Amino acid sequence: MDNHQQVIDRFLQTVEVGVEAFGTCEIGADFSLRCAPSEGVIVHFVLAGEGFLECAHGRFPLSAGTVVIVPKKLAKSLSGTGPIVHISDAEPNCVASGELLRFCAFSGEPDLILGCAQLDSSSSGGLPLFERLTRPIIEKSNDPLLGILLSMMLDEFRTPRLGSRAFISALMKQVLIVVLRSQPNDDSSILLMSGTRLARSVAAILDQPGAKHTVDSLAALAGMSRSRFCDHFTAAYGTTPKAFVQTARLASAARMLKRSELPVKAIAASVGYASRSHFSRAFQEKFGTDPSAYRSAQASGELLPQ
């Protein structure tokens, strides 16, 4: 497996990508729907039809099967194939449909239908998956599974029923995984990496968070000098290599606390902490509670601050 695919696989396996469905956008051929900047990362799944996304970075074609990941605080417009006659703002054209919302800008029948969701940044345990995104990521997959998932999603949107939001969110997560894993090896924008050199180091951290990673050993994996590696890594991920390693260790520990009955001391050792007290302090600082309380809260379904 090449380094690019390896790091994507590791991110998908170790980072719990939270996808929260919230509604649809339905747009006519001669309509444009203006969307205000969002405080969260938004994902649009093109379920049917054709159209365009426009933002400060350009005008991008959309068709069924396209997935668009929109950065925080980026204004955008979604439009039909044109020519555009009507321009509408999203907020006044939003109606409730069961647990979900419908943003409507059409007369007659919509030309473009998108499912809309927000990525839950807290679900990554602090690992920077899309948090430093500055431009939209617009991708499409030829995987035949994609058509099946999108058809199921569209049917659920059209006929909402009990649990539709949770079901659509699960489908959206599957679509996102299908699209991410099908990308060509030279496309490093997906995980905001600076090429395959950093991918080697990131994959090593995610593969074995408890290993004795040092800046020197990670720089050697990347084939860079220590100073160049630190500069490139911090620019790509917005954090130092050392801080990234600690975040990966604590995120791995949090998953084990939720999914296993291993003693806290054993979990601490497995993610590279020789001392349970040191681990507990680091965990408390990261998650706002100690490991035992975190496990109990997860078991009871109690929400914790991130």
Side-chain angles (χ1 to χ4, degrees), residues 69-141:
I69 303 173
V70 182
K72 295 178 177 179
K73 301 180 180 180
L74 181 68
K76 64 181 183 292
S77 293
L78 298 163
S79 62
T81 52
I84 302 303
V85 177
H86 309 284
I87 298 177
S88 305
D89 290 318
E91 190 173 348
N93 290 282
C94 173
V95 296
S97 177
E99 301 176 287
L100 299 159
L101 302 174
R102 289 180 66 205
F103 297 88
C104 303
F106 63 90
S107 58
E109 294 293 328
D111 192 49
L112 176 67
I113 303 176
L114 307 96
C116 308
Q118 181 165 324
L119 290 187
D120 180 7
S121 59
S122 67
S123 66
S124 68
L127 291 173
L129 188 57
F130 298 109
E131 292 304 296
R132 288 180 61 79
L133 191 65
T134 58
R135 302 173 60 90
I137 293 176
I138 301 174
E139 305 290 358
K140 191 171 181 178
S141 170

Side-chain angles (χ1 to χ4, degrees), residues 239-263:
T239 187
T240 65
K242 183 177 179 180
F244 187 97
V245 170
Q246 173 153 307
T247 298
R249 287 174 173 172
L250 294 173
S252 179
R255 286 190 299 276
M256 284 190 277
L257 286 165
K258 287 191 287 185
R259 298 174 181 174
S260 78
E261 297 182 0
L262 286 171

Side-chain angles (χ1 to χ4, degrees), residues 13-14 21 28 33 48 56 76 95 103 112 114 124 139 149 152 156 175 186 216 233-235 246 256 270 293:
Q13 289 171 20
T14 62
L33 187 70
K76 64 181 183 292
V95 296
F103 297 88
L112 176 67
L114 307 96
S124 68
E139 305 290 358
L149 293 170
M152 293 172 66
E156 197 71 22
V175 169
D186 59 353
D216 288 332
F233 195 99
T234 303
Q246 173 153 307
M256 284 190 277
S270 72

Side-chain angles (χ1 to χ4, degrees), residues 46-298:
V46 182
L47 304 177
E50 295 183 340
F52 296 91
L53 177 141
E54 294 185 63
C55 65
H57 300 286
R59 186 170 187 255
F60 306 96
L62 305 176
S63 59
T66 304
V67 173
V68 184
I69 303 173
V70 182
K72 295 178 177 179
K73 301 180 180 180
L74 181 68
K76 64 181 183 292
S77 293
L78 298 163
S79 62
T81 52
I84 302 303
V85 177
H86 309 284
I87 298 177
S88 305
D89 290 318
E91 190 173 348
N93 290 282
C94 173
V95 296
S97 177
E99 301 176 287
L100 299 159
L101 302 174
R102 289 180 66 205
F103 297 88
C104 303
F106 63 90
S107 58
E109 294 293 328
D111 192 49
L112 176 67
I113 303 176
L114 307 96
C116 308
Q118 181 165 324
L119 290 187
D120 180 7
S121 59
S122 67
S123 66
S124 68
L127 291 173
L129 188 57
F130 298 109
E131 292 304 296
R132 288 180 61 79
L133 191 65
T134 58
R135 302 173 60 90
I137 293 176
I138 301 174
E139 305 290 358
K140 191 171 181 178
S141 170
N142 293 321
D143 191 318
L145 177 60
L146 191 63
I148 297 171
L149 293 170
L150 292 174
S151 178
M152 293 172 66
M153 198 188 302
L154 181 58
D155 179 65
E156 197 71 22
F157 272 120
R158 284 174 169 167
T159 313
R161 63 208 83 174
L162 183 65
S164 280
R165 185 167 184 165
F167 184 63
I168 291 170
S169 295
L171 288 172
M172 286 177 164
K173 180 172 180 178
Q174 295 304 312
V175 169
L176 191 59
I177 290 172
V178 168
V179 171
L180 289 180
R181 73 180 183 183
S182 68
Q183 296 313 302
N185 298 339
D186 59 353
D187 184 354
S188 60
S189 65
I190 299 237
L191 297 176
L192 312 182
M193 301 177 299
S194 299
T196 57
R197 286 188 170 190
L198 286 184
R200 299 185 193 115
S201 302
V202 172
I205 295 168
L206 297 178
D207 234 353
Q208 295 182 302
K212 294 182 178 180
H213 300 294
T214 65
V215 174
D216 288 332
S217 69
L218 295 171
L221 282 173
M224 298 180 183
S225 68
R226 178 189 174 100
S227 60
R228 186 163 179 256
F229 172 72
C230 288
D231 289 345
H232 278 255
F233 195 99
T234 303
Y237 293 99
T239 187
T240 65
K242 183 177 179 180
F244 187 97
V245 170
Q246 173 153 307
T247 298
R249 287 174 173 172
L250 294 173
S252 179
R255 286 190 299 276
M256 284 190 277
L257 286 165
K258 287 191 287 185
R259 298 174 181 174
S260 78
E261 297 182 0
L262 286 171
V264 172
K265 184 176 181 179
I267 290 174
S270 72
V271 296
Y273 287 87
S275 160
R276 172 174 172 162
S277 60
H278 182 199
F279 167 69
S280 294
R281 284 195 299 272
F283 194 93
Q284 173 95 31
E285 184 176 342
K286 178 67 180 173
F287 292 100
T289 187
D290 66 77
S292 296
Y294 180 90
R295 169 177 272 166
S296 297
Q298 293 295 326

